[in-house]
Amino acid sequence: MKAIIFIISTVIVFYLMSLIHKRYSYPYLLPILTSTIILIAALLMLDIPYGDYMEGGKYIQHLLGPAVVSLAYPLYNQRHLVVKYKYTIISGIFIAMISGLISIFLMLVLFKLDDSYILTALPKSLTTPVAMQVSETINGIPPLTAVLVMIAGFAGALFGPFVYKIGKITSPISRGISMGSASHGVGISKLKDFGEEDLSIGSLSMGLSAVVGAVLCPIFVLIFF
Amino acid sequence: MIGNLGEPIALCMRIIRTIVQILILYIFYYMGVFIVEMTNLPLPPSIVGLLLLVGCLQLKWIKVEYIQDGAGFLIGFMTLFFIPPMLGIIDYPELLSIKGTILISAVFISTLFTIFFTGIISQKIGMKEMARKEKGERGEDAFESNHLHH
């Protein structure tokens, strides 16, 4: 009974927050952010342990598996873009994945953070559902990974255009690839300001880097840990 | 115009179709789970399922029409599905400590560095690829743009 209440209230909160985001599309009103804050506040105020909530929550989470499988559909639909710019896109995604992994790894090692935190941060540039599943696979802390993924998204959405300016990055392909593979969906929402081509290359890069990153992260872990 | 009953029936069919397609996507997910369990590959099962599905679509073993409604539905609600695991953050208050601050700053810097580095390099590679295309494949361009808009 409790489980059903948790399921329904999660769906309702998410639905209302989606409506608000549809009306006012600021990045800080993203449903994932607002829903999470509201539900956490509710759990804390009503003194409900996370374990109890997950009695219902697990049924919602279960759909994440087939939902990630579904990402095959947009990837398959965009295959003509890969054919068109194959060297640029494929090399760009590998460059982004490797430079992202090495830079975060070096910084956290420098600050002497525990391995579990480093593992948690490695999948940060992948889209949230994939990042959480990769985090689980490499023994990170999935919810913490999700927060870091949001941070990576905001970094790109807020400062990406500034980075383009100082790097003189002006071609739609390179803007799309770099944003899609470093800042996933939150970042590419910012690409709308640049144009349609930026946006479609961005979402393709997000999908491809999710797949490439899901393979590279565990390999990186095997080598360095 | 369709009669009064047309619309509800069409809606029902659409719902049934979506549910059946989600079941197909579940089958791919569980194939991924099975493969990961059998081989001990360090990969998320859902990514293995995704790769299997891309392969089947590419080989035309499965038509896009068989999954597109289900996939569209699941992708549309994707955010909802990771809210419950995301709430797990409630058990990790250390995010608000010095460690958390280091983590967040490092992710911020690493992300901007990645955008900068990838952007510059891919712009160089992109220019070369474009130049080569314009030189060598002028004849194929017509075919390619045709292909794009079909």
Side-chain angles (χ1 to χ4, degrees):
Chain A
M1 188 57 213
K2 251 189 182 171
I4 295 171
I5 295 173
F6 291 141
I7 293 174
I8 292 174
S9 43
T10 308
V11 173
I12 290 176
V13 169
F14 169 73
Y15 180 69
L16 293 177
M17 293 305 113
S18 304
L19 285 184
I20 291 178
H21 184 246
K22 218 172 240 172
R23 185 123 169 62
Y24 310 98
S25 54
Y26 304 113
Y28 52 82
L29 284 179
L30 278 173
I32 179 62
L33 208 64
T34 47
S35 312
T36 304
I37 291 170
I38 290 176
L39 288 166
I40 283 184
L43 292 185
L44 289 177
M45 276 192 294
L46 301 172
D47 213 11
I48 301 166
Y50 180 63
D52 284 11
Y53 167 80
M54 279 310 271
E55 290 292 309
K58 69 181 180 204
Y59 295 104
I60 299 178
Q61 184 184 354
H62 202 263
L63 284 159
L64 198 52
V68 170
V69 174
S70 305
L71 293 173
Y73 168 60
L75 268 182
Y76 177 76
N77 271 348
Q78 290 168 316
R79 65 195 182 285
H80 60 266
L81 279 178
V82 186
V83 176
K84 203 172 171 198
Y85 307 108
K86 51 180 175 284
Y87 297 113
T88 317
I89 291 183
I90 293 168
S91 60
I93 285 177
F94 274 91
I95 291 166
M97 288 298 108
I98 292 167
S99 60
L101 283 170
I102 291 178
S103 59
I104 190 75
F105 177 73
L106 287 181
M107 271 190 276
L108 296 182
V109 167
L110 201 71
F111 281 105
K112 295 195 172 65
L113 248 63
D114 303 342
D115 279 2
S116 67
Y117 290 112
I118 302 179
L119 292 169
T120 298
L122 288 179
K124 62 157 172 44
S125 46
L126 312 182
T127 182
T128 317
V130 177
M132 291 180 95
Q133 306 212 322
V134 171
S135 177
E136 202 181 321
T137 309
I138 61 178
N139 293 322
I141 305 162
L144 207 55
T145 299
V147 173
L148 297 178
V149 170
M150 292 314 291
I151 304 288
F154 280 105
L158 297 174
F159 294 100
F162 175 69
V163 173
Y164 293 152
K165 208 177 256 174
I166 54 170
K168 298 197 175 61
I169 299 159
T170 51
S171 82
I173 312 173
S174 50
R175 278 194 302 240
I177 295 173
S178 54
M179 190 69 95
S181 51
S183 290
H184 55 91
V186 181
I188 59 176
S189 66
K190 190 74 198 166
L191 289 176
K192 263 184 246 159
D193 304 350
F194 291 99
E196 210 36 60
E197 196 177 14
D198 295 67
L199 200 62
S200 54
I201 302 267
S203 65
L204 169 69
S205 304
M206 175 178 81
L208 282 176
S209 61
V211 176
V212 173
V215 178
L216 282 187
C217 273
I219 295 177
F220 188 88
V221 172
L222 284 178
I223 296 174
F224 289 98
F225 288 83
Chain B
M1 283 295 279
I2 314 163
N4 270 345
L5 275 173
E7 258 181 47
I9 289 175
L11 182 70
C12 263
M13 288 305 290
R14 205 185 151 78
I15 292 172
I16 292 169
R17 196 164 60 227
T18 305
I19 292 173
V20 171
Q21 295 192 357
I22 290 174
L23 292 179
I24 296 175
L25 292 163
Y26 253 114
I27 292 172
F28 276 90
Y29 172 63
Y30 280 112
M31 286 199 282
V33 173
F34 179 74
I35 290 175
V36 167
E37 271 178 18
M38 293 305 286
T39 59
N40 272 323
L41 279 172
L43 286 177
S46 52
I47 289 291
V48 176
L50 180 157
L51 291 171
L52 288 174
L53 180 54
V54 170
C56 286
L57 289 169
Q58 192 67 44
L59 293 169
K60 311 266 181 231
W61 290 354
I62 284 204
K63 282 189 188 169
V64 179
E65 290 78 35
Y66 295 166
I67 53 123
Q68 64 183 5
D69 287 356
F73 178 85
L74 290 177
I75 291 172
F77 285 94
M78 181 85 87
T79 306
L80 172 66
F81 308 145
F82 59 77
I83 287 175
M86 180 116 185
L87 294 185
I89 197 67
I90 206 169
D91 290 337
Y92 295 92
E94 60 258 50
L95 194 63
L96 300 173
S97 67
I98 294 176
K99 267 183 198 165
T101 317
I102 294 173
L103 264 178
I104 289 173
S105 326
V107 166
F108 217 93
I109 296 167
S110 161
T111 302
L112 294 182
F113 167 75
T114 306
I115 294 177
F116 181 78
F117 188 67
T118 310
I120 288 181
I121 306 270
S122 67
Q123 185 153 276
K124 291 215 167 98
I125 298 174
M127 275 174 188
K128 271 192 191 148
E129 188 171 17
M130 295 279 243
R132 192 171 41 197
K133 251 189 192 152
E134 267 167 33
K135 228 199 268 169
E137 300 177 10
R138 222 163 249 167
E140 278 181 40
D141 262 12
F143 164 75
E144 225 169 61
S145 60
N146 210 352
H147 197 68
L148 245 170
H149 296 290
H150 83 134

